């Protein structure tokens, strides 16, 4: 066999690098042709397949709204859209949603999974950490349409830019999102290397779509990168200081104080110094304690965020034999893997140089990976299905020329994320119906996109949609993570994490904020979100597994967040839905599914209401029990049996497959 291969090569067998390691290029296109549709149609014609018809206008606006904001359109937005001329309504809706504050929240949700964001350390006792300001920066960056090359650079090396701004330093929280441990007795160097490896793996997956972790212990078995290249890449992160990186080092953080607080803290510090060490039970000692208490109170009101910083004294980097922290081998310097693209000698050998290498217009991976993830966000599956792996073990692109065209266009636009999204959603391919026909059975996974995908909504979307439909959703943005309802059984004596860990459920609007802002305790993440498919965020994830289990239906039917939403939706049905049963049922159905029910559906909803009313009207105890749960007070002016019956129907509507899907 070796001889046969040798002979084949000697005869001039054609060879080129794996497609992902060749810089993308644009193919020439006919004039007045949408590039997305050109390449999609070309593949369909190869298989003698035809694209689906355009989706209904209701489905289109619902699809677009969820894709760009994570929320369904309001009834007013839907009515306006349907009343406008079709040709002008679509681009107008796109522009409105791209400029919505919810746009940044929608895209940030994807990035938090990739960046493994959490509000706690994740290991050992899972102590709290303060980094939510980085999350808020991500939302702001997407809303302000920060060019992607800067989005990447600031997160990897914002602190190394000339005279870095507060935002540029804040962005480096990306590098501090890794899970850490403060367990007594652990070996510091062992865990420092674990954190370094996490940063290497996260950075390579997030920005390059490569499984570099395979080269931690040996040369990569499938892709052309060596173990030496892995540790050269690791050299960019080897000098970071802070928690878990340098023993005894001060943790680098940004403080967001005010001049007034700074002045008062300076006064207190001076007063404490003047008092010295007075004896206990003296007036001076009482003053000292009062000053210290005020100092603590002020400090707790000053937001801080973990950021990246390098040690002034460089640390040597070695290839670690078998990946073991205590088995250093060859000494190496920081440099990007030449197996991907040569690292220009003029670039600094630090994190800023790494970012410049990644954002070089000739880099074969960076733009492709970013474009592919946005495509995945809109179509459910990337042009490269394995969005975490563009290497030889990943899937080849379904539309290679389209991916390259969009990647080059993305770079030429100045890395404009909103422009890229706009180009994709204006295509006919995006606006197709999701109805499956027998004519396209030869492509059961819909990789050629002869129709639009029908997708289950993500966990956060389902919860936010229930809150929005009921009218409970609070759209306030930013701030510390909030604590919506959680099962008490997860906390207390047998809790996971720190001894005596407690979870105080929030109050008021904190119960109804968007799921993006839920306090993410990594060892005990929000139970309803995890059951519905949210990621635990211990490691970088570029895509979530699609799951469908009975537990998810039980959450939607029984979790207090959803039963309360159904009850409040029932109040809306009575107060806003009209004067008769059909109107109220249609009102709730349209809020949840973005369309009006047909005659058969309305008949079923009527029957459900009447069945429930017969039960509740004859059982006061059951009725009162059904109307309890959650902080929102039941409207006592409404008939309890009627309200409970509407709530039961509302719960059923919120559980419809169509309510928790976009098509």
């Amino acid at each position: 066999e070796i001889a046969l291969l040798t002979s084949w090569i000697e005869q001039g067998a054609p060879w080129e690098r794996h497609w992902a390691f060749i810089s993308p290029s644009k193919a020439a296109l006919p004039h007045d042709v949408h590039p997305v549709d050109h390449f999609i149609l070309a593949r369909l014609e190869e298989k003698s397949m035809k694209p689906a018809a355009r989706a209904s206008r209701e489905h289109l606006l619902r699809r677009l709204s969820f894709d760009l904001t994570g929320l369904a359109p309001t009834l007013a937005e839907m009515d306006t859209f349907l009343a406008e001329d079709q040709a002008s309504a679509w681009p107008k809706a796109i522009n409105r949603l791209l400029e919505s504050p919810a746009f940044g929240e929608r895209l940030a949700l994807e990035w938090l999974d990739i960046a493994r964001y959490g509000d706690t350390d994740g290991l050992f006792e899972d102590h709290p950490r303060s980094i939510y300001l980085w999350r808020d920066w991500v939302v702001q960056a997407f809303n302000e349409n920060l060019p992607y090359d800067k989005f990447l650079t600031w997160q990897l090396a914002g602190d190394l830019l000339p005279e870095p701004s507060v935002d540029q330093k804040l962005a480096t929280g990306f590098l501090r999102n890794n899970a850490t441990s403060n367990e007594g007795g652990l070996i510091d160097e062992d865990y420092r290397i674990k954190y370094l490896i996490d940063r290497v793996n996260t950075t390579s997956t997030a920005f390059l779509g490569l499984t570099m972790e395979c080269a931690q212990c040996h040369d990569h078995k499938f892709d052309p990168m060596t173990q030496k290249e892995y540790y050269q890449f690791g050299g960019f992160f080897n000098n970071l200081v802070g928690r878990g990186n340098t023993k005894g080092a001060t943790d680098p953080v940004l403080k967001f104080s005010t001049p007034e607080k700074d002045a008062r803290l300076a006064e207190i510090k001076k007063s404490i110094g003047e008092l010295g060490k007075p004896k206990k039970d003296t007036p001076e000692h009482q003053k000292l304690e009062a000053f210290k208490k005020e100092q603590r109170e002020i400090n707790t009101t000053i937001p801080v965020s973990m950021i990246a910083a390098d040690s002034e004294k460089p640390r040597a980097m070695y290839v670690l034999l078998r990946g073991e922290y205590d088995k250093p081998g060859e000494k190496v310097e920081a440099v990007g893997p030449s197996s991907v693209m040569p690292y220009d000698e003029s670039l600094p050998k630090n994190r800023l140089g790494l970012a410049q290498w990644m954002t070089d217009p000739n880099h074969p991976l960076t733009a492709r990976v970013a474009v592919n993830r946005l495509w995945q966000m809109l179509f459910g599956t990337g042009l490269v299905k394995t969005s975490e792996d563009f290497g030889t073990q990943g899937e080849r692109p379904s539309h290679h020329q389209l991916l390259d065209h969009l990647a080059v266009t993305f770079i030429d636009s100045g890395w404009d994320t909103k422009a890229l999204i706009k180009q994709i959603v204006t295509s006919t391919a995006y606006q197709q119906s999701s109805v499956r026909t027998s004519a396209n059975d030869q492509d059961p996974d819909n990789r050629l996109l002869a129709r639009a995908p029908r997708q289950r909504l993500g966990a956060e979307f389902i919860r936010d949609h229930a809150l929005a439909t009921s009218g409970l959703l609070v759209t306030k943005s930013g701030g510390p993570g909030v604590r919506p309802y959680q099962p008490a059984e997860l906390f207390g004596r047998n809790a996971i994490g720190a001894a005596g860990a407690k979870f105080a459920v929030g109050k008021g609007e904190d119960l109804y904020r968007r799921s993006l802002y839920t306090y993410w305790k990594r060892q005990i993440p929000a139970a309803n979100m995890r059951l519905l498919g949210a990621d635990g965020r211990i490691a970088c994830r570029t895509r979530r597994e699609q799951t469908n289990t009975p537990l998810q239906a039980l959450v939607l039917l029984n979790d207090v967040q959803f039963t309360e939403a159904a009850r409040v939706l029932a109040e809306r049905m009575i107060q806003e839905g009209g004067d008769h049963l059909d109107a109220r049922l249609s009102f709730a159905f349209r809020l949840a599914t973005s369309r009006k029910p047909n005659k058969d559906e309305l008949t079923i909803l009527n029957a459900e209401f009447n069945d429930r009313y017969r039960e509740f009207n004859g059982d006061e105890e059951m009725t009162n029990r059904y109307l309890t749960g959650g902080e929102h007070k039941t409207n006592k002016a409404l008939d309890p049996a009627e309200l409970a019956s509407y709530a039961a129907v509302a719960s059923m509507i919120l559980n419809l497959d169509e309510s928790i899907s976009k098509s």
Side-chain angles (χ1 to χ4, degrees):
E1 290 177 347
I2 292 173
L4 182 64
L5 289 170
T6 302
S7 174
W8 181 50
I9 292 169
E10 288 173 347
Q11 292 170 20
W15 179 89
E16 65 176 16
R17 304 189 75 197
H18 180 61
W19 70 267
F21 301 124
I22 302 171
S23 297
S25 59
K26 270 186 176 181
L29 297 182
H31 292 297
D32 302 323
V33 171
H34 196 292
V36 171
D37 295 328
H38 173 80
F39 293 111
I40 296 292
L41 286 172
R43 289 299 315 276
L44 291 175
E45 288 172 359
E46 288 176 11
K47 302 292 184 181
S48 300
M49 296 167 64
K50 293 184 178 180
R54 196 171 192 265
S56 72
R57 298 187 71 184
E58 290 90 346
H59 278 125
L60 280 178
L61 186 60
R62 179 182 174 87
R63 180 188 302 170
L64 186 71
S65 296
F66 271 121
D67 282 345
L68 300 193
T69 68
L71 296 168
T74 65
L75 297 189
E77 289 168 347
M78 181 63 76
D79 288 339
T80 299
F81 180 75
L82 296 176
E84 291 177 332
D85 176 70
Q86 183 168 319
S88 61
W90 186 243
K92 191 181 293 185
I94 293 169
N95 291 335
R96 173 178 60 80
L97 293 168
L98 287 174
E99 295 306 313
S100 166
F103 171 79
E105 295 172 328
R106 165 69 182 95
L107 267 72
L109 191 61
E110 304 281 328
W111 193 249
L112 297 195
D113 277 4
I114 293 166
R116 74 271 192 249
Y117 170 83
D119 293 299
T120 58
D121 288 344
L123 302 177
F124 188 47
E125 292 191 331
D126 202 25
H127 290 282
R129 61 171 49 168
S130 182
I131 199 168
Y132 68 86
L133 290 166
W134 173 82
R135 176 205 64 203
D136 293 347
W137 172 81
V138 173
V139 174
Q140 173 189 321
F142 281 122
N143 275 331
E144 294 179 354
N145 202 23
L146 182 70
Y148 183 76
D149 59 338
K150 292 183 178 178
F151 182 73
L152 180 157
T153 300
W154 292 13
Q155 291 184 86
L156 289 183
D159 58 309
L160 301 180
L161 291 167
E163 299 182 9
S165 67
V166 169
D167 279 352
Q168 288 167 341
K169 292 179 181 178
L170 184 59
T172 63
F174 172 82
L175 295 172
R176 303 298 306 281
N177 274 322
N178 60 292
T180 58
S181 175
N182 63 352
E183 181 179 3
L186 55 75
I187 300 171
D188 291 326
E189 182 64 7
D190 181 19
Y191 273 76
R192 187 188 73 81
I193 293 298
K194 281 181 168 66
Y195 304 153
L196 182 147
I197 285 169
D198 174 89
R199 292 182 178 113
V200 171
N201 298 344
T202 297
T203 301
S204 62
T205 301
F207 298 114
L208 302 178
L210 292 178
T211 57
M212 282 189 70
E213 63 265 31
C214 298
Q216 177 187 340
C217 304
H218 47 68
D219 290 349
H220 202 295
K221 296 291 186 184
F222 304 105
D223 293 332
M225 63 190 68
T226 64
Q227 187 186 20
K228 180 178 179 179
E229 286 181 318
Y230 181 89
Y231 287 99
Q232 287 175 324
F233 196 88
F236 291 112
F237 310 106
N238 198 41
N239 294 320
L240 286 170
V241 297
R243 189 189 307 182
N245 298 300
T246 307
K247 190 173 182 180
T250 302
D251 202 33
V253 296
L254 270 182
K255 291 188 175 183
F256 292 81
S257 188
T258 63
E260 294 77 14
K261 288 180 180 179
D262 289 339
R264 181 55 186 155
L265 286 171
E267 291 174 3
I268 292 172
K269 184 177 180 181
K270 181 181 178 182
S271 298
I272 290 174
E274 292 172 348
L275 285 169
K277 296 182 179 180
K279 293 182 179 179
K280 286 186 177 182
D281 301 324
T282 63
E284 288 77 13
H285 185 266
Q286 292 174 355
K287 285 183 181 179
L288 178 64
E289 292 302 308
F291 281 132
K292 287 182 177 179
K293 181 181 179 182
E294 185 182 356
Q295 187 181 51
R296 287 193 298 270
E297 289 174 348
I298 293 175
N299 281 325
T300 58
T301 65
I302 298 175
V304 299
S305 192
M306 299 163 64
I307 59 172
D310 280 341
S311 169
E312 293 181 1
K313 184 180 179 181
R315 182 187 283 115
M317 188 70 200
Y318 301 91
V319 174
L320 300 179
L321 305 180
R322 302 295 298 170
E324 298 289 342
Y325 77 94
D326 57 350
K327 293 183 174 60
E330 179 186 356
K331 187 177 180 180
V332 295
E333 65 176 1
V335 66
S338 59
S339 57
V340 175
M341 188 181 81
Y343 192 87
D344 195 307
E345 285 299 317
S346 66
L347 294 175
K349 292 182 171 58
N350 58 18
R351 288 179 282 115
L352 183 57
L354 173 64
Q356 292 169 339
W357 174 77
M358 285 184 174
T359 55
D360 186 306
N362 293 315
H363 199 288
L365 289 167
T366 310
R368 278 177 173 145
V369 169
V371 165
N372 190 66
R373 267 202 313 270
L374 288 173
W375 187 277
Q376 174 183 274
M377 183 186 84
L378 297 169
F379 285 91
T381 305
L383 292 167
V384 176
K385 184 177 182 179
T386 52
S387 55
E388 73 285 352
D389 185 6
F390 274 53
T392 59
Q393 296 302 292
E395 286 203 15
R396 293 187 68 86
S398 59
H399 301 78
H400 189 170
Q401 287 185 305
L402 172 57
L403 177 62
D404 282 9
H405 184 95
L406 292 177
V408 175
T409 301
F410 188 41
I411 296 169
D412 291 346
S413 72
W415 304 84
D416 188 328
T417 298
K418 287 188 177 182
L420 175 62
I421 291 174
K422 190 171 184 176
Q423 183 175 44
I424 295 172
V425 299
T426 53
S427 68
T428 301
Y430 179 82
Q431 298 173 60
Q432 293 179 105
S433 167
S434 63
V435 175
R436 183 171 177 170
T437 63
S438 58
N440 296 328
D441 279 349
Q442 59 181 296
D443 182 25
D445 294 331
N446 197 33
R447 295 295 287 132
L448 300 183
L449 294 173
R451 57 181 171 84
R454 181 183 175 88
Q455 297 171 252
R456 170 82 170 269
L457 295 175
E460 295 86 349
F461 293 20
I462 292 173
R463 177 178 173 273
D464 292 354
H465 182 44
L467 292 175
T469 301
S470 68
L472 285 169
L473 183 68
V474 174
T475 57
K476 175 183 175 183
S477 62
V482 296
R483 293 168 168 81
Y485 305 112
Q486 275 269 53
E489 291 79 5
L490 293 176
F491 302 89
R493 180 185 298 179
N494 299 317
I496 302 170
K502 296 180 180 178
F503 182 89
V505 174
K507 297 290 183 183
E509 66 178 18
D510 283 1
L511 297 170
Y512 313 115
R513 296 278 304 280
R514 291 201 69 173
S515 301
L516 174 76
Y517 300 113
T518 294
Y519 183 84
W520 208 246
K521 184 172 176 60
R522 294 202 234 201
Q523 288 190 9
I524 319 177
N528 50 16
M529 293 293 93
R530 285 293 281 140
L531 287 170
L532 291 172
D535 194 79
R537 298 198 186 135
I538 292 293
C540 171
R541 293 284 183 273
T542 66
R543 54 180 175 146
R544 294 181 181 178
E545 292 182 8
Q546 294 293 315
T547 59
N548 189 4
T549 75
L551 286 175
Q552 294 168 343
L554 291 172
V555 166
L556 297 178
L557 287 168
N558 298 291
D559 182 85
V560 63
Q561 193 87 78
F562 293 95
T563 58
E564 181 185 42
R567 176 163 51 84
V568 180
L569 174 55
E571 293 180 4
R572 286 193 72 186
M573 293 165 74
I574 296 171
Q575 295 170 328
E576 303 174 41
D579 297 330
H580 56 87
L581 179 59
D582 281 2
R584 292 171 177 178
L585 296 173
S586 296
F587 173 74
F589 188 92
R590 193 175 181 222
L591 280 170
T593 68
S594 303
R595 68 172 179 85
K596 296 176 181 178
N598 60 38
K599 184 178 178 180
D600 291 339
E601 290 165 338
L602 200 53
T603 299
I604 294 170
L605 294 174
N606 266 276
E608 175 70 11
F609 176 84
N610 291 326
D611 286 347
R612 299 290 76 77
Y613 186 75
R614 278 191 294 271
E615 291 179 359
F616 287 122
N617 196 38
D619 193 331
E620 184 177 349
E621 182 183 348
M622 181 177 69
T623 300
N624 291 334
R625 199 165 58 240
Y626 192 76
L627 293 175
T628 58
E631 187 180 274
H632 182 85
K633 302 299 181 185
T634 301
N635 189 336
K636 299 296 185 182
L638 302 176
D639 175 67
E642 183 183 37
L643 178 60
S645 303
Y646 277 115
V649 177
S651 178
M652 185 179 79
I653 290 173
L654 291 175
N655 278 269
L656 292 174
D657 179 67
E658 195 170 350
S659 296
I660 59 173
S661 303
K662 72 179 180 76
S663 57

